[in-house]
Amino acid sequence: MQVPGLDAVPDSVCLQKANDFPLDDVVVLSRQGSYELAVQRQVKRTLEIVSSRGPWRKTMGQCLASLESFGDEIDADRHRLGLTASGPTTGLEALRDLAASAAAQKSVADLLQELPRLGQSYHRVWKHLTQTVSALLAESDVNAPEQELVHRSAYRIARRLVVQIEPTEQISPRYPALCAALQERVLHADTGVDAAGVFRMVEELAQEWGPRGGAIDAAMLRNRLRARGVALRGDPPARSAVVVRQRVEQPGPETLTQAAQVQTLTSHTGRSARRM
């Protein structure tokens, strides 16, 4: 099951890993191929895209720190930067569309040529993005950053940005589809827990492990769900079933002894019958 921003099936989820990833709320990883693929995601209740706003400024600072730590991976599209918030919807939608436009351009020069064709909302988002990046870069240098560096840094962030708009006070529109996929592809037909129950268990695990900087891989999650009585597709058969099958398929010494006794008794009976 894929997650937004990751084009492969994830095998590990990290929570609150600020020592490893600047965007640390949720980090989803896939290590199954030749390269590590990752989506670092910051989750906000709301995120107003204004250069003077603290949450926006802090988030862009984390994006710049990600460029510093994972620049080559981000440029190669193996690491992506995620933002999740519930609103304001207009600004987040414009940021999401701007990110899609940036991803479609091969250079910042191409993006700057494309901007005049876009609407005012895109220009506003780009202005606040570049103003914020410029201010943050200036904090780390005695000299004001050159415009080329500001535009290039803003472009590198925008083209790898994955923006999700999720409602906070109601069920996400994706929830029914995720439940259906979980029921169809992951849960065993005989399990006594439905998809909604499993989601509640996963939420409880996130609340338990997240504040402690936990990292959850597929094996950990599978084992914890098994311990709570959830049967998953691909699980080995229950121990009792294995024992019964082994007894049927592989007779032990006692069974062999009984068979030998039967064979001896049969042979003895046959000899006795011939003598009569």
Side-chain angles (χ1 to χ4, degrees), residues 80-96:
R80 294 175 181 169
L81 311 172
L83 290 176
T84 298
S86 63
T89 304
T90 302
L92 291 173
E93 288 177 344
L95 178 62
R96 183 178 59 193

Side-chain angles (χ1 to χ4, degrees), residues 4 41 43-46 83-87 89 92 96 163-175 178:
R41 184 172 296 281
V43 181
K44 303 289 186 182
R45 179 174 291 274
T46 59
L83 290 176
T84 298
S86 63
T89 304
L92 291 173
R96 183 178 59 193
V163 180
Q164 276 186 277
I165 305 171
E166 295 285 351
T168 56
E169 303 301 332
Q170 60 186 31
I171 297 176
S172 168
R174 300 176 60 239
Y175 180 72
L178 291 173

Side-chain angles (χ1 to χ4, degrees), residues 72-152:
D72 291 342
E73 299 299 312
I74 291 172
D75 290 336
D77 203 14
R78 293 191 285 267
H79 278 218
R80 294 175 181 169
L81 311 172
L83 290 176
T84 298
S86 63
T89 304
T90 302
L92 291 173
E93 288 177 344
L95 178 62
R96 183 178 59 193
D97 293 342
L98 176 65
S101 297
Q105 309 303 321
K106 67 179 184 295
S107 68
V108 63
D110 292 335
L111 177 62
L112 293 176
Q113 289 181 356
E114 181 69 13
L115 278 177
R117 297 198 312 108
L118 303 177
Q120 288 299 317
S121 59
Y122 299 92
H123 285 275
R124 177 182 174 278
V125 169
W126 177 253
K127 181 187 74 172
H128 284 290
L129 174 58
T130 53
Q131 286 178 349
T132 306
V133 168
S134 178
L136 291 169
L137 290 175
E139 291 178 355
S140 59
D141 200 333
V142 294
N143 299 317
E146 297 181 359
Q147 187 180 57
E148 179 183 358
L149 174 60
V150 172
H151 283 176
R152 187 171 68 252

Side-chain angles (χ1 to χ4, degrees), residues 11-26:
D11 53 27
S12 182
V13 178
C14 302
L15 305 172
Q16 302 294 331
K17 284 287 189 179
N19 292 336
D20 301 319
F21 300 97
L23 296 163
D24 67 322
D25 281 343
V26 182

Side-chain angles (χ1 to χ4, degrees), residues 194-213:
D194 62 6
V198 172
F199 267 113
R200 286 193 294 271
M201 292 180 187
V202 173
E203 182 180 6
E204 291 170 1
L205 289 177
Q207 293 172 350
E208 177 184 349
W209 291 341
R212 295 169 174 81

